[in-house]
Amino acid sequence: MSMPVVSAKVSELPWELYICRACGLIYDEGKGDEDSGLVPGTRFADIPDDWACPLCGVTKADFEPYAAQELVRQIRSPISIAATSSSRRNAGTVIIGAGRAGWQMAEALRARDAAMAITLVTACNGDVYDKPMLSVAMARGIQPATLPKETGAQAAARLGVRLLAHTQAVRITPASRQLRTTRGTLRYRHLVLAHGARARTLPQLPDALCWRINHLQTYAKFRAALGSPPQRVAVVGAGLIGCELANDLALAGHRVTLIDVAARPLAAALSAAQSQQLLDAWAGLPISFVGGVQVDGVSASDTGKQISTTCGRQVGVDHIVVAAGLQTPGRLAASAGLDFNRGIAVAADTLATSVPGIHALGDCISIDGEVSRYIEPIGRQARLLADRITGAAAAPYAPSRVPLRIKTTSLPFTV
């Protein structure tokens, strides 16, 4: 991709914003995109057609103009605010989860209905951030506190959403359309499950001795625990997240042991030749890949932690990060009697669950028993569900294959 040149005359025009329809990333012409080699002041029209979204990998054609201030003006107008405040006395739409899926669902609903009562329930603080940045932040010198683009309170105020932060969803009662939470019971007309998936639990890797980094709050604690001196870190799981984290930790100076049951890193996504290219790129970094082994257990001592493998190998480290995949929690789905098959089962064309009035999207769903835990589908899913909830015409949902960007910055891949 060739570098665009910014002329003085063009730079006098107002900078414009463009939003990725797939993942919601906003390209600001004034700021450019350093990761893609786009200097500040690069006009969107001047970006080469083969440029890819830094987060989800879709092309320039999947971006559209973003009129953020116009949306804020419409939502904050006296008519909209009055209608929203009045409608909160009635059952509206309740969204569970404040990750990308939850907030994109709120954005899509608000874009279609300025007066709808929307309540967002989340166990975290609801801050809006790009989760893929967690696996590249150290090498880029990004502190956890600067990762949020918007606080949960700010996003809720901007969208006219009632945010129940640090609140657990306990049980769904579909017959009465009620959601029990740790802050009381909510009535709903439509319920949207957007709570995502959680890091897989394995008995030989207990939570008390291992880190499972699946959201910003845990990541911030992990970074604080690392401190400034280089640490010995084991990453269990050499898939997408495990390899990205191992790469980032090593670039930050930590000694990393990357462990996987497969004989090579990223075995499910890369060819054998590509895996070797990645290992070659890591040759100058403090990364030791141990493949073809199974972790048998973990123990703690005054000097750190010890990992034992089934083949008798012992690995001494200071921290253990588990990146052994994700699983969809099934408790809420079971309480509502939802069909479940590796995730909340939804119809392939409508994304409808098995219970009327309950919808789901993002990492927590499965279609024909298959999960797709990537960024790209979430925006399309949110728009389709928003159309269905508000009664607008909705085109059938069609799963699509998009490029997967593997951010092992020593040698990134797009597959």
Side-chain angles (χ1 to χ4, degrees):
M1 185 179 72
S2 60
M3 291 278 288
V5 178
V6 181
S7 69
K9 186 174 182 180
V10 170
S11 66
E12 295 174 0
L13 299 173
W15 302 122
E16 295 184 350
L17 304 176
Y18 291 81
I19 187 169
C20 175
R21 289 193 295 264
C23 72
L25 178 133
I26 296 174
Y27 175 76
D28 185 335
E29 292 182 332
K31 297 179 179 178
D33 179 55
E34 294 182 3
D35 292 336
S36 303
L38 303 179
V39 298
T42 301
R43 293 295 181 181
F44 188 78
D46 296 330
I47 297 176
D49 291 338
D50 61 352
W51 176 73
C53 173
L55 277 184
C56 69
V58 300
T59 65
K60 175 184 174 181
D62 290 293
F63 279 71
E64 63 186 8
Y66 180 59
Q69 295 305 315
E70 176 62 18
L71 176 62
V72 171
R73 185 193 65 77
Q74 293 174 1
I75 293 173
R76 289 182 176 173
S77 67
I79 295 176
S80 297
I81 292 294
T84 301
S85 301
S86 173
S87 64
R88 281 180 182 157
R89 294 193 293 268
N90 303 315
T93 298
V94 175
I95 302 169
I96 301 175
R100 179 176 295 275
W103 281 119
Q104 287 216 353
M105 190 71 241
E107 294 264 8
L109 286 170
R110 185 57 76 220
R112 288 155 177 76
D113 189 337
M116 175 183 288
I118 303 173
T119 300
L120 197 151
V121 177
T122 179
C124 65
N125 58 16
D127 287 355
V128 181
Y129 67 97
D130 292 321
K131 185 183 286 189
M133 294 300 295
L134 299 185
S135 58
V136 296
M138 276 180 279
R140 298 184 185 182
I142 302 173
Q143 295 301 314
T146 65
L147 282 171
K149 299 186 295 184
E150 198 174 18
T151 68
Q154 290 169 338
R158 174 173 60 85
L159 293 171
V161 169
R162 179 190 179 197
L163 175 65
L164 298 182
H166 305 293
T167 303
Q168 296 283 348
V170 177
R171 184 177 181 84
I172 303 168
T173 308
S176 56
R177 297 209 173 194
Q178 291 183 326
L179 171 69
R180 181 186 171 194
T181 77
T182 51
R183 291 178 60 182
T185 299
L186 305 173
R187 294 187 301 116
Y188 66 84
R189 183 178 180 187
H190 294 277
L191 179 66
V192 181
L193 304 183
H195 52 63
R198 65 188 178 197
R200 187 178 303 280
T201 57
L202 298 169
Q204 67 269 39
L205 293 164
D207 290 345
L209 297 177
C210 303
W211 294 96
R212 287 174 166 82
I213 302 171
N214 196 36
H215 53 71
L216 179 57
Q217 285 71 40
T218 300
Y219 177 74
K221 293 177 182 178
F222 173 63
R223 287 281 296 271
L226 283 176
S228 54
Q231 301 281 295
R232 299 170 302 161
V233 183
V235 178
V236 181
L240 174 65
I241 301 302
C243 285
E244 289 182 353
L245 279 172
N247 188 94
D248 201 44
L249 285 160
L251 287 173
H254 301 287
R255 291 167 52 196
V256 181
T257 302
L258 180 60
I259 303 172
D260 200 89
V261 294
R264 54 188 177 86
L266 282 164
L270 301 182
S271 67
Q274 289 173 318
S275 291
Q276 186 58 52
Q277 289 172 5
L278 180 58
L279 289 171
D280 293 342
W282 282 345
L285 294 177
I287 298 180
S288 174
F289 175 68
V290 181
V293 300
Q294 175 72 52
V295 173
D296 185 49
V298 175
S299 59
S301 67
D302 294 338
T303 59
K305 300 178 176 66
Q306 193 85 1
I307 295 177
S308 303
T309 70
T310 54
C311 60
R313 186 167 186 147
Q314 302 289 319
V315 181
V317 295
D318 301 305
H319 300 277
I320 301 170
V321 178
V322 180
L326 300 173
Q327 60 187 19
T328 301
R331 177 178 53 83
L332 277 178
S335 73
L338 295 175
D339 290 346
F340 196 92
N341 184 4
R342 298 183 64 202
I344 299 168
V346 298
D349 55 346
T350 64
L351 301 181
T353 72
S354 58
V355 175
I358 301 180
H359 316 268
L361 77 160
D363 289 0
C364 67
I365 69 169
S366 67
I367 298 176
D368 296 328
E370 295 294 326
V371 295
S372 177
R373 294 180 174 131
Y374 301 110
I375 291 174
E376 185 276 334
I378 293 176
R380 293 188 293 118
Q381 292 169 2
R383 291 190 292 272
L384 182 145
L385 289 182
D387 286 338
R388 294 189 62 223
I389 289 172
T390 58
Y397 179 73
S400 62
R401 297 174 65 87
V402 296
L404 171 63
R405 292 172 66 90
I406 302 172
K407 301 183 297 301
T408 45
T409 51
S410 298
L411 183 64
F413 290 91
T414 299
V415 297

